Amino acid sequence: MAKMTMMKWALPISTDSTPQTCVLIPIPAIPSSSSLCTTKSRRDFSLSAITISFSALIFSNAQIPNSWAKPEPPRFAELPNSGGVKALDLRIGDGEVPFDGDEVAIHYYGRLAAKQGWRFDSTYDHKDETGEPVPFCFILGSGKVIAGIESAVKSMKVGGVRRVVIPPSQGYQNTSQEPIPPNFFDRQRLFTTIFNPTRLANGEGSTLGTLIFDIELVSLRHQI
C-alpha cells in the first residue's frame, strides 16, 4: 500500500503578511519506478498462475468424445463356404434374404483385377426402351452364373449393395457362364485375358481371373 506523506503549507487567509493557521493536506507518496515494476511483475505472475491453474483444471478431466475418434476403416470378410470370396457391405438391405430356387434381380458393376480394374460390364449400361437400366435376372442355385456371384447374393438382403473380390476358382471357368458382357469387344478382351494360354502356362492363372463386382440386390421372387 502506498505511504501517505504529510506536507504543510502556509495558506494566507487574509491580505496581511501574518501567517495564519496552517492546514495539513495528506499527499500520497509516489512509489519509485522499481516499486512499480515489482508490483506489476507480481500482478502479472499472479494472473499467469491463475490462467495456468484454470487451464489445467479444464483439461485434466477432459475426455475426447467417441464421435471425434477416427473410425475404423471397413474391412473385407471372407464369406463362409464361398471358396475364398471376400465381401464388403457398402449398404445393408432391409428386405428378404433369397434362397436357392428364387429368381433374383441384381445390378452389377464388373471389373477385372488383371487389367488395373478395367470395367468389362455393367448392368447400368443395359437400358430398356425408356432409358432405364435393366437388371440381370437369374435363378439362384442354377449354376448358370459364376459361383462367386451366387455366394455373394445368397447372404444379401434386398436393397443391399456389396463389393466382392472373386478369386479365379470362383470366377469364369468357361466362356458360357453368365453374366456375359453383351459387347463383343469387351467379351473378347475379358476372355482372352482370363484364358490366355501363354500366361496360364507361365503360372499366372491365380491372378488373371480375379474379379471385382459391386452387386445390388434389387428384388427377388419365390418360385412356386
Side-chain angles (χ1 to χ4, degrees), residues 32-86:
S32 64
S33 58
S34 60
S35 176
L36 284 174
C37 294
T38 302
T39 303
K40 184 177 184 300
S41 299
R42 289 176 178 175
R43 182 171 62 252
D44 292 345
F45 177 78
S46 298
L47 290 175
S48 300
I50 292 173
T51 303
I52 294 172
S53 299
F54 183 66
S55 302
L57 179 62
I58 291 175
F59 292 105
S60 62
N61 295 323
Q63 295 182 354
I64 298 176
N66 291 334
S67 59
W68 293 4
K70 186 176 180 179
E72 286 290 329
R75 299 178 183 275
F76 281 86
E78 184 171 328
L79 299 176
N81 305 315
S82 65
V85 176
K86 295 182 179 180

Side-chain angles (χ1 to χ4, degrees), residues 22 96 99 122 161 164 173 177 182:
C22 294
E96 294 183 84
F99 295 95
S122 172
V161 178
V164 292
Q173 305 303 306
Q177 283 184 296

Side-chain angles (χ1 to χ4, degrees), residues 92-192:
I92 304 297
D94 56 3
E96 294 183 84
V97 177
F99 295 95
D100 284 347
D102 290 344
E103 182 182 33
V104 296
I106 65 171
H107 276 303
Y108 64 77
Y109 187 101
R111 291 172 287 169
L112 187 61
K115 291 290 186 180
Q116 292 79 44
W118 165 62
R119 187 195 70 174
F120 60 83
D121 193 18
S122 172
T123 56
Y124 296 102
D125 295 334
H126 308 166
K127 306 292 180 65
D128 60 16
E129 60 276 4
T130 66
E132 291 296 317
V134 179
F136 171 64
C137 299
F138 66 98
I139 304 298
L140 193 62
S142 64
K144 292 183 178 181
V145 303
I146 59 177
I149 287 183
E150 288 216 358
S151 297
V153 173
K154 282 181 179 180
S155 56
M156 294 179 66
K157 294 181 179 181
V158 173
V161 178
R162 172 175 283 180
R163 178 169 295 167
V164 292
V165 179
I166 302 174
S169 63
Q170 303 301 309
Y172 290 101
Q173 305 303 306
N174 55 66
T175 59
S176 63
Q177 283 184 296
E178 296 179 329
I180 299 175
N183 182 281
F184 172 79
F185 296 101
D186 289 340
R187 185 165 61 250
Q188 286 296 102
R189 185 182 181 188
L190 173 67
F191 291 141
T192 55

